[in-house]
Amino acid sequence: MRRIGRRGFLGAGAAGLAVLAAPAVLGQARPRAVVVGGGSGGATAARYLARDGAGAIDVTLIEPARRYDTCYFGNLYIGGFRDLESLGHSYARLATEYGINVVHDWADAIDRDAREVRLASGGSVPYDRLILSPGIAFRQDAIEGWDIAALARMPHAYTGGTQVALLRAQIEAMPPGGLFVMVAPPNPYRCPPGPYERISMIAHLLSGTNPTAKIVLIDPKETFSKQALFEEAWGTLYPGMIDRLPTDLVGPVERVDAGTMEIVTATETFRADAANIIGPQEAGRIAHRAGLVNEAGWVPVSAFDMRSREDEAIFVLGDSAQQGDMPKSAYAANSQAKVAAMVVRSELTGSRAFPARYANTCWSLLGPENGVKIGATYEPTEEKIATVEGSNFVSQTGEDAELRAATYRESLDWYDAIVADMFG
Amino acid sequence: MAPADTRHPPHSVRIGGAILGLLLLAGPALAEEPGGPVAEEPAASPAAAGPDEADLDRLLALLPEADPEWGAFLSGDCTACHREGAGGEGIPDIVGWPAEAIATSLAAYRSGLGENPTMRTMAQRLSDEEIAALAVYFESRAP
């Protein structure tokens, strides 16, 4: 029998064990689950806890933004395939239909001994179980010259909404024949195909409005996700426009200057008309403040339930977690959230627990009606979340237009489905 | 378990002991998908002819005793893409389908039938008991 967490047990034949499953909260009015971060992991976890708990769990979601702008499909906005409004989602139904206490505030600190989340506004929220899903932060001082002030001219556009809108506006303002430069992030980072889908979408946008413009992609990695598919598309759809320069050719990026729009590598200096710097990443700040991160800046978790290896009352989802083989994707965070919610509900209410399982699929758009995807299923091991052997799949080069259009339509339905899974 | 509400009729016909006309077929996207090359796995495995009829009957026989609560958890793999009440042109709404239709479709994907690599991958790791649990769960969610 597979281990499924400290108090977990297999579903079948588990009747009678339920009363053992909730020792932490016996005698209390309603057990309290607090979720920090209202993205793909956090919103899903909060909604599943509230829906499946059916009133038995007091669920609080702490999220500073009033509206969630998905990072995914932000590239489709840049390419002109979506409007920004369609990528924004309200938390209202989580409050009105699911009874979640949605608190629009920053989680400023976590007192793990007292089991309280301290809010930036001064209050605090006690928890029996805490789920952290704060996404990524950019490593400070990783690139000389790329500081908070520089983000206005050299956006990362790697969180949804404002930054994505800014990047597109700057690309649209490029002079004829101008130069766009992206600095791609080192592994690991959010959305492995994201920078390359973005390059495709920028090339599509420029092909229509500024066809003599050039795109330079400075990449610290030798290889990247869906590489054959992207490179085929760049050669056929946008010939001569995109130049990918691995840093073993031009050297690592040494500094940037948002005033002169220069990107300086060991061997070359690029002067960009628009630039997108996607810096090195780590877990969101609150995970650091909670003392849960490792030297690499991520939160090690158990593969069986997404529980922090440092604190048995805290679960960490999505981009912030160091869990093993799963990519940092919306789909993965949503998948992990369902496991964590199931385990937390079991611990708080004695409901049945089941063995964890995970899945991922990531779609990317190469050009109009030209979608590709990659995915796999995953299973927990003592060491990590491991890819189920032989489960990897990826779209193939040379696929016909009809299949690519069908894959694109799938991605549109996936988007609608996952945001419904998060926000109701 | 008798097929109940067929508000979302799958594209299947029950003949003899098995549901044929597979629903692989399962929805508009699958029906429209061309037979082009997909995924890196071998296109034609010995099992690619579809599930053995006796195996499928064994699976369908599990439905009356299947565990919808387990299915509810397992459905987390499905609901990131299959949206309840609003299937699009790319991915069908499977909520409320008859259990036999869900089970037969998943068994077919598991056996290697169907061009959609996502569905084949999702189905490949499912046991008979898991397929049955999913099937009765989705049927039980009929609006």
Side-chain angles (χ1 to χ4, degrees):
Chain A
M1 184 178 292
R2 197 178 284 162
R3 178 179 169 278
I4 52 171
R6 290 168 179 77
R7 299 186 187 88
F9 46 85
L10 282 171
L17 292 178
V19 71
L20 300 177
V25 293
L26 286 179
Q28 182 180 295
R30 273 207 306 170
R32 298 159 303 197
V34 174
V35 181
V36 173
S40 306
T44 303
R47 177 170 167 268
Y48 273 60
L49 279 168
R51 184 195 70 179
D52 298 340
I57 304 172
D58 180 352
V59 182
T60 299
L61 174 62
I62 301 169
E63 163 58 50
R66 264 69 174 173
R67 154 187 152 127
Y68 183 67
D69 290 289
T70 61
C71 192
Y72 34 106
F73 274 32
N75 289 335
L76 274 62
Y77 164 72
I78 292 172
F81 296 95
R82 292 288 285 232
D83 62 53
L84 212 51
E85 204 52 41
S86 75
L87 306 183
H89 307 278
S90 166
Y91 291 96
R93 280 191 304 280
L94 293 183
T96 60
E97 293 185 20
Y98 295 90
I100 296 167
N101 185 15
V102 179
V103 176
H104 290 307
D105 203 336
W106 281 96
D108 200 39
I110 292 166
D111 184 334
R112 285 165 45 190
D113 293 328
R115 294 195 175 179
E116 282 185 352
V117 179
R118 304 244 176 88
L119 302 178
S121 65
S124 65
V125 184
Y127 64 82
D128 296 302
R129 293 293 182 275
L130 175 64
I131 295 178
L132 295 182
S133 193
I136 54 161
F138 290 97
R139 274 169 40 204
Q140 292 175 356
D141 305 322
I143 299 175
E144 185 186 335
W146 194 60
D147 53 16
I148 298 291
L151 292 180
R153 296 203 66 198
M154 292 182 159
H156 54 71
Y158 233 54
T159 51
T162 310
Q163 280 268 301
V164 173
L166 178 63
L167 179 61
R168 178 165 134 182
Q170 292 174 346
I171 294 165
E172 288 177 325
M174 284 168 56
L179 175 66
F180 170 82
V181 178
M182 173 192 282
V183 177
N187 290 322
Y189 62 97
R190 161 182 285 180
C191 190
Y196 311 96
E197 180 189 62
R198 175 171 293 171
I199 290 290
S200 309
M201 292 292 95
I202 292 169
H204 171 75
L205 177 67
L206 291 172
S207 293
T209 59
N210 191 348
T212 57
K214 295 293 180 198
I215 296 173
V216 164
L217 165 57
I218 302 171
D219 198 337
K221 303 178 293 299
E222 285 184 24
T223 61
F224 58 90
S225 177
K226 298 175 183 161
Q227 184 163 1
L229 296 164
F230 284 114
E231 290 181 343
E232 179 186 53
W234 296 347
T236 56
L237 301 176
Y238 317 112
M241 181 175 269
I242 300 164
D243 205 359
R244 176 173 175 263
L245 303 174
T247 50
D248 57 8
L249 276 183
V250 296
V253 173
E254 295 189 336
R255 64 183 177 84
V256 301
D257 185 329
T260 61
M261 290 297 283
E262 286 177 329
I263 293 104
V264 181
T265 74
T267 65
E268 298 202 39
T269 296
F270 301 89
R271 201 190 160 284
D273 296 294
N276 177 203
I277 313 294
I278 309 172
Q281 298 164 21
E282 61 187 7
R285 295 276 171 253
I286 192 65
H288 295 257
R289 292 187 182 178
L292 300 173
V293 302
N294 62 13
E295 286 181 1
W298 306 100
V299 184
V301 296
S302 161
F304 294 96
D305 49 17
M306 304 304 296
R307 194 189 312 264
S308 162
R309 294 194 187 272
E310 291 288 324
D311 189 323
E312 67 171 15
I314 302 180
F315 297 72
V316 181
L317 307 178
D319 295 349
S320 283
Q322 179 174 298
Q323 36 68 24
D325 292 350
M326 296 184 80
K328 297 185 185 303
S329 74
Y331 197 123
N334 172 267
S335 175
Q336 294 160 9
K338 293 165 187 175
V339 169
M342 176 271 294
V343 172
V344 166
R345 182 165 69 98
S346 172
E347 293 182 358
L348 295 181
T349 70
S351 63
R352 290 168 64 193
F354 303 98
R357 63 170 56 204
Y358 308 93
N360 180 64
T361 305
C362 291
W363 285 265
S364 300
L365 190 60
L366 304 174
E369 301 270 307
N370 192 344
V372 291
K373 60 181 174 178
I374 189 169
T377 53
Y378 301 87
E379 60 191 355
T381 66
E382 287 293 338
E383 180 201 356
K384 64 175 183 175
I385 296 180
T387 307
V388 173
E389 196 179 341
S391 72
N392 291 295
F393 66 87
V394 61
S395 297
Q396 302 292 287
T397 55
E399 288 173 340
D400 63 36
E402 204 178 340
L403 177 55
R404 291 291 176 83
T407 304
Y408 174 57
R409 286 195 299 273
E410 266 184 19
S411 73
L412 300 179
D413 285 350
W414 163 76
Y415 184 91
D416 290 343
I418 194 170
V419 297
D421 213 22
M422 293 159 61
F423 299 111
Chain B
M1 182 171 293
D5 182 0
T6 50
R7 274 184 73 241
H8 309 279
H11 310 275
S12 67
V13 180
R14 190 175 170 87
I15 302 174
I19 292 178
L20 304 175
L22 290 180
L23 359 171
L24 272 185
L25 326 188
L30 300 168
E32 285 168 14
E33 207 167 83
V38 282
E40 66 265 74
E41 56 194 293
S45 69
D52 177 84
E53 190 164 327
D55 290 345
L56 186 57
D57 282 342
R58 258 194 304 282
L59 166 58
L60 296 177
L62 295 174
L63 292 177
E65 301 301 321
D67 179 353
E69 199 179 346
W70 190 16
F73 171 66
L74 296 172
S75 75
D77 273 4
C78 315
T79 53
C81 296
H82 292 273
R83 183 182 172 195
E84 178 172 350
E89 291 177 34
I91 299 173
D93 177 11
I94 54 176
V95 171
W97 275 25
E100 290 195 13
I102 297 272
T104 306
S105 183
L106 285 172
Y109 279 118
R110 184 177 62 178
S111 75
L113 273 183
E115 296 295 341
N116 194 310
T118 311
M119 281 307 305
R120 286 207 309 261
T121 296
M122 295 293 174
Q124 265 161 13
R125 67 167 161 185
L126 295 173
S127 67
D128 277 2
E129 287 74 17
E130 288 169 336
I131 287 179
L134 278 166
V136 296
Y137 168 71
F138 278 111
E139 180 177 88
S140 76
R141 301 275 294 119

